Amino acid sequence: MSQNTNEGQGASPNPDLHKVLPGERTRLERILGGIEVAGNKLPDPAVLFFLLLIFTWVLSWLLSGINFGIEHPMTGDPIRVINQLAGDEMASFLANMVSTFVNFAPLGVVLVAMLGVGVAEHSGFINAGLRATLNVTSAKLLTPILILVAVMSSTAVDAGYVVVIPLGAVMFYAAGRHPLAGIAAAFAGVSGGFSANFIPSALDPMLAGITQEAARVIDSDVVVNPLANWGFMASSCLLVVVLGWWLTDRVIEPRLIKDTPVDGDMSDQPEMKALEPHERRGLTWASISIVIGLLILVAVALPEGSPLRDGEGNLGSFDAPLMASIVPLIFLLFVIPGIVYGYVAQTIKSHRDIVEGMSKAMSSLGYYVVMAFFAAQFIAAFGNSNIGLLLAMSGASVLEALNMPAQMTVIGIMLLTVGVNIFVGSASAKWLLIAPIFVPMLMQLGISPELTQAAYRIGDSASNIITPLLPYFPLIVVFCKRYYTESGIGTLISLMLPYSVVLFLGWAAFLLLYWFIGLPLGLQAPYTYPG
C-alpha cells in the first residue's frame, strides 16, 4: 500500500484519509487485501485486455475444429467455435477495428455526459450543490441515500455509471469519509442493484418478452406481463439499500481507512463551508433552470402524439426516442444549470470558460479512452468466437442433468447466471441464451416462467459488480485512480466482492422467503405452472 500522506491537498475534514493507519487487520480485511494485491499485480488494465484478446485468438484456434455436440437454443444449429486467426476473421477484425472502438457502447455515453458534467464542475455548480445537500443531510444517512439514488438511477439507463458513482465519491470525501467507499456504495446500487427499482424500467418488458417466447415452447398460450417481477423487485430496493448500507459502513469503509490512503490530487474537491451569498444566488437560479427544463420535457413527452414516444405510444421502451435521448438529456441537465450558475455567481466570465470546463473533463478521461479501445477489441473478438456461448450452454446442460429439487434448481439458475456473467456482459444477451433452456425445463417441474425470470435477475445483478467484462468496469477503475493512484482491477474487485456475495445470498434468501409466504411477484405472476 502507498504511504503517501498527501499533506496540503484536499478539503476533507478527516486527515486520517491520507495515511495508512496502524493496528490489527481482521481476517476478512487480510483476505480482501490479498485479493487486491494479487489483482493489482496483473498488468495494467489496457494491457490486460490486449493479452485477453491474444488469448481469445489462440483459444479459438485450438477449439475451432472440435464438435462439442451442443446446439444453439434458438436456432438448433450446432455451436462451433470460430477461429479468430483465420484469414477472413483477421481481415474483418482489422477492417472493423475503428468502428468497433467508436461503437463501443459506454464510450459515447461517457464522453457526451462528461462534457456537461465538466461545465457544471468547472463553474462550481456541483461544488455548491453538494455542499448545500450535505449541510441538510445527516452523515449517518449519507450511505443509504446514496445507494437508493444509485438503485433508482437504472431507470435512466446508464446515467448512474457516469453521474451517480463519481458524485458518490465527491460527497463522501466532502463529508470526511473515504471517497472509494462512496464509489463502492454507488456502484453496488447502480450495478449490483440493477434489477431492483420502485419504478419499472425498459428492462422489464425486454426480459418479459424473451421469457414469453421461451415459455411458448411448452405452452403457446402463455403471456408474461411486463410487470411480472415488479412487486418483488420494488421490495428488493429496500433489501439492496439495507445490505449495502451495512456493508459500506461496517466492512468496506473501515478497511479502506486503515489501508488505502487518499493520495490523488484533491485540490478541486468541495470544502464543507457555508455557501456565500453569490453561491446561493447561483444555486437558486440554476435550480430554477432545472425545474423549467424538466417541466418543458414533461410537457413535450405527455401528449399521446409526442415525438418522444415509440410507434406504439410508449415512453419507457428501448425504442422510444425519450429513452434513446437519456445521455443528451444528462448533458443538458448539467450544462444548462452549470452555465446559469456560473454567470449568476460570476464564476464564468465568457464562453471560453465553458469550453475550458469541457476540455478539462475530456483531458481527465484519456486513460479511460485507452482502456476502452482494447476492451472493445477484446469483447468483440470474444463474442465473435462463440466461446462465451459455448461456456454458457455447457453450464446449462450440467445444471439440467443434475435434476435437482425446484428450490435448488432456482438457486442453480442464479449461480449459472453468475458464471455466465463473467463471459457475457449484456443482461438481454445472457437471458436470450439461458431462457430457452430453463424456462421450459422449470415449467415441466411446475415452476412458473415469472419465477425463473426473477431468479435470473438476481444472479445477473449480484455479479455485475465483479466482472471486468462489464463495459463500465474500466471507467470505475479510473474513478478510483483519481483518489487512490495505485488503484487497479484488484482494488475494485476486492472492494465489490463482499457486496456481490452478500447481495447474492441475501437476495436469494429473500426470493425463497417471498415464495414461501406467497407474496405477489408482480402483475399476473404466479409461482407455479400452471398457475
Side-chain angles (χ1 to χ4, degrees), residues 350-373:
S350 71
H351 67 276
R352 289 183 174 82
D353 293 322
I354 299 172
V355 175
E356 182 182 354
M358 293 183 177
S359 300
K360 286 179 65 177
M362 290 299 99
S363 65
S364 68
L365 292 174
Y367 181 71
Y368 170 71
V369 172
V370 174
M371 279 199 296
F373 173 78

Side-chain angles (χ1 to χ4, degrees), residues 209-375:
I210 298 171
T211 304
Q212 178 173 290
E213 290 303 311
R216 287 182 173 180
V217 172
I218 298 294
D219 184 349
S220 60
D221 294 327
V222 167
V223 176
V224 178
N225 193 298
L227 300 181
N229 292 153
W230 181 43
F232 174 68
M233 289 304 167
S235 303
S236 297
C237 283
L238 299 177
L239 177 75
V240 172
V241 170
V242 169
L243 293 178
W245 183 5
W246 177 80
L247 269 173
T248 302
D249 291 1
R250 297 298 181 88
V251 177
I252 303 301
E253 190 167 24
R255 171 179 168 260
L256 287 170
I257 291 175
K258 290 179 184 177
D259 291 333
T260 309
V262 176
D263 59 1
D265 181 6
M266 299 293 101
S267 58
D268 60 347
Q269 295 295 300
E271 297 183 17
M272 284 306 297
K273 60 181 181 181
L275 292 174
E276 301 290 340
H278 68 280
E279 292 176 316
R280 289 197 196 94
R281 288 194 301 271
L283 198 57
T284 298
W285 282 105
S287 300
I288 291 173
S289 73
I290 292 175
V291 173
I292 292 173
L294 292 176
L295 289 175
I296 293 173
L297 178 62
V298 170
V300 173
L302 281 183
E304 291 185 5
S306 170
L308 296 178
R309 297 178 181 270
D310 65 12
E312 297 180 357
N314 297 317
L315 284 171
S317 71
F318 279 113
D319 295 328
L322 176 64
M323 298 306 294
S325 303
I326 288 295
V327 176
L329 289 173
I330 293 172
F331 167 76
L332 294 174
L333 187 64
F334 279 93
V335 75
I336 292 175
I339 292 172
V340 170
Y341 175 89
Y343 278 111
V344 173
Q346 298 184 339
T347 56
I348 289 179
K349 305 298 183 183
S350 71
H351 67 276
R352 289 183 174 82
D353 293 322
I354 299 172
V355 175
E356 182 182 354
M358 293 183 177
S359 300
K360 286 179 65 177
M362 290 299 99
S363 65
S364 68
L365 292 174
Y367 181 71
Y368 170 71
V369 172
V370 174
M371 279 199 296
F373 173 78
F374 291 102

Side-chain angles (χ1 to χ4, degrees), residues 498-520:
Y499 290 101
S500 185
V501 172
V502 171
L503 281 176
F504 181 88
L505 295 176
W507 216 340
F510 187 54
L511 177 60
L512 294 178
L513 178 63
Y514 219 82
W515 185 2
F516 177 77
I517 296 174
L519 296 173

